[in-house]
Amino acid sequence: MPVPTRRTARGARRPRSSLWRTLAIPLAYLVIAGFGIWWIDVRPSAVLAGLDDIASLLGRMLPPAIPEPANLFALILQTLWIAIAGTGFAAIVSVFLAAAASRHYAGPRVVGLLARGIIIVLRAIPSLVFALIFVRIFGLGPFAGALAIGCHSIGMIAKMMADTFDELSPTAREAVSAAGAGRAQTFVATTLSRSMPDIVSLVLYRLDINIRASAVLGIVGAGGIGVALQQAIGSLSYRTAAGIIVVIVLLLLVLEGLSYLAQRALTQHAAERTVAQLYGAGPDTARPGWNRPRVSRALAVWIPLGLFAVAVSQLSLNTSRLGQAWSQARDILAGFLPPHFSVEILMGIFETVVMAMTATAFGVVFGLVIAVLSTPYLVRFEPLNLLLRGLVVLLRGVPDIIWALLFVAALGLGPFAGFLALTISCTALASKFFTDGLLKIDPLPVRALEATGAGRLQVFVSGVWPQFVPSFISNTLFTSDLALRESAVLGIVGAGGIGFLLQESIVSLDYQTTAGILIGLVVVVVALETVAQQARRKVL
């Protein structure tokens, strides 16, 4: 019997260690979900009783009643202007913050640290919380909503933009810098220009998210179609509320289709493996001419800039209120000091985290089942695949705070309503991510196994799942990251968590408590992000 050498023994331990690290993440979610089921009091009898109440509520919502078309159309346009203005503002500011936060930034170290700190703080605070604060500063209306959307978006766009800058090869930058170009010239010519396709894709993705977010900002008075929804629910006009929800879902579905077509057009030449030609032939070599790609690029720049300018002009900025904004902001910032911490705040944040993690665990399980059945690796029945994908699109079309409003109306106040809303949201998100991940796996191992006569289950277990595991873990962590931010605001409509206390502290001008809650949220988000990064580094 051969005796294993030290090297072979060490080599044998590595896969076992990697296996345990891979299993540690799902086990951690299962443990937290088990505790969350007890904490939130998720019982089959409560779920069944809730189904009766939800059916009763749906009965009062049908048939949906559409509000006055002219007023509804104006609110839809306002929602779009809020999303476009906020996303444009975030994209412009993010370029400077991402450049300073990048590892390749060669300026003062304190500027880089300050940029990273701003990105972390802005990412940790949900857009609805920003909306609550900006409504106090700038008054009711779409201007506060656009600023809220923009501030929260900066945190995500700037972080992902900085990651894109970090991944670029330094060769071009060093060559241009060696030729005597200044720091700004080098950045524009080598870093920004090469990152532009990724940046455009990132901004389009964020615009999709922001349109969903801006549709509900009216719940806290920040303009958009959410104002009509809040008024309808507040006056118990459930048929009108159902009509507004249908309009929101249709609007989001149309915009999702347009976003998909735009992204496909931008990446079409890469999919066809063709070489993009930057310029057409000009009258001489020093004056390049116009060709179709150059016209497309020019339109892709000027049309969004034009839309951004129109959107900003439609925000109904109250100039008299703007003059008081600085004094309002100064009072709020001064009121933050010293921050107030209490057991009630800690319990609210704890409940928020438990809701988010438990809903993520349920959503990942349901999402994985939907994703597997939506792809042809295990079940090849196209009508079922199409039906499930349509279901996911519909679920994603309804913002989670609207789900929370419905569950609160049917089941009453508390974390159970928030847990159900987040579970639906996490299921839709996870199933989309998992479906995309499954469709991107290398088909060669699958075909090789099929050629040997392996069954469908054997092909999935041996050819699909090993390739899918990194995507599964990464997207699970990302889903929980988003769920945590969303669960922090569901309390605004009474669905549990810290949101209710946060809204009460702002409305009652108790800014010391507001500051304590925001600091607690930032600490929790940063801690969970650190854990997620460590998990990705160890496992992926």
Side-chain angles (χ1 to χ4, degrees), residues 102 104 161 163-177 185-201 269 278 297:
S102 169
H104 302 307
M161 214 181 274
D163 292 342
T164 302
F165 293 165
D166 289 344
E167 291 170 0
L168 292 176
S169 167
T171 308
R173 188 178 61 255
E174 291 170 357
V176 173
S177 180
Q185 291 172 313
T186 303
F187 172 74
V188 173
T190 63
T191 303
L192 187 61
S193 59
R194 287 193 294 164
S195 305
M196 197 52 73
D198 290 335
I199 291 175
V200 171
S201 178
H269 74 277
L278 289 178
R297 287 199 304 276

Side-chain angles (χ1 to χ4, degrees), residues 194-211:
R194 287 193 294 164
S195 305
M196 197 52 73
D198 290 335
I199 291 175
V200 171
S201 178
L202 173 62
V203 172
L204 279 176
Y205 174 66
R206 189 65 212 183
L207 178 63
D208 176 87
I209 295 175
N210 285 344
I211 289 172

